[in-house]
Amino acid sequence: MTDIERVGVVGCGQMGAGIAEVCARSGLDVMVAETTGEALEIGRTRLTNSLGKAAERGKITEEQRDATLDRLSFTTDLGEFSDRDLVIEAVVENEQIKTEIFQVLDQVVTRPDAILASNTSSIPLVKLAVATSRPDQVIGIHFFNPAPVQALVELIPALTTGDETIKRSEALVGDILGKHAIRAQDRAGFVVNALLIPYLLSAIRMFESGIASREDIDNGMELGCAHPMGPLKLSDLIGLDTIVAIAESMYEEYKEPLYAAPPLLLRMVDAGRMGRKTGSGFYSY
Ligand SMILES: NC(=O)c1ccc[n+]([C@@H]2O[C@H](COP(=O)([O-])OP(=O)(O)OC[C@H]3O[C@@H](n4cnc5c(N)ncnc54)[C@H](O)[C@@H]3O)[C@@H](O)[C@H]2O)c1
């Protein structure tokens, strides 16, 4: 069991809203912070709609939806996070912005045993840890998108993270949130992206060099390996800009050609073809 009851989530975008929903549905008191009132309203709507859909689909009852909403509060002032037992940061993937947030959290969160976690996909956790005066209480808790649906969470202790922080985070993820935790060292890509990204880049290189059509590459993996989605469709779903960002952080770390983004992928991002979210990528939407 865990002693974590009050959670703060910084950022209410795609991931922050999902993480806040998961925590509130699990019975935790959740406060969500955004930069501006406008961003907060967009985030609140995203979260409320997602809970509404979960109720419509019968995943939760209407009473559970209402009780979950009652456990959620919203703010634009991180100062209100002082009583939080755990804060999960899920703002844009920008090292400077995240570092500043960890410095602020270090000042405002008063509980001496509070855990400060990040949902970062590629920034070394140790850099965020040493920005605080409690590097033993900083850890990566990496959810998958959409957080309310995906069962996996990667736990990434930094070199400085203490055993107690790891144990309490593991108990929270498994016992309270009902997710499956796997542990990875603080290395670019952790487990899942370190395996997935080179595979997606290989598929893009295969398409770029004309070895097979996009449909044949996707059908190959869907019908030959029973993957629910081929690599080019999956790339469009993740977002090509996101793939470039993760590939670059892995290339930066290991200098392996395997992780270098192929020119076609870079040009598509330059052209604004990021995949589903912009209406075109390897396919049109
Ligand atoms: N999208 C994914 O599939 C995915 C999966 C796992 C992890 N992640 C990681 O999760 C994090 C968030 O990604 P996302 O896809 O939700 O991004 P997003 O752009 O949808 O949301 C980011 C949110 O952070 C807010 N924000 C920015 N600065 C802030 C600040 N100073 N204080 C409070 N809020 C602030 C923005 O207003 C925005 O709403 C990133 O670190 C990303 O690498 C993303």
Side-chain angles (χ1 to χ4, degrees), residues 179-192:
K179 302 280 187 195
H180 185 95
I182 61 175
R183 224 192 272 184
Q185 284 187 13
D186 188 12
R187 300 285 186 279
F190 312 139
V191 171
V192 173

Side-chain angles (χ1 to χ4, degrees), residues 247-268:
E248 282 178 349
S249 74
M250 288 169 58
Y251 184 75
E252 182 65 24
E253 180 108 311
Y254 295 106
K255 306 288 186 291
E256 292 272 9
L258 185 70
Y259 301 131
L264 173 66
L265 177 64
L266 296 171
R267 288 306 95 75
M268 288 174 77

Side-chain angles (χ1 to χ4, degrees), residues 21 42-56:
E21 179 180 336
I42 295 171
R44 189 204 296 264
T45 306
R46 176 182 270 132
L47 220 168
T48 312
N49 288 348
S50 171
L51 278 171
K53 276 195 201 128
E56 270 168 34

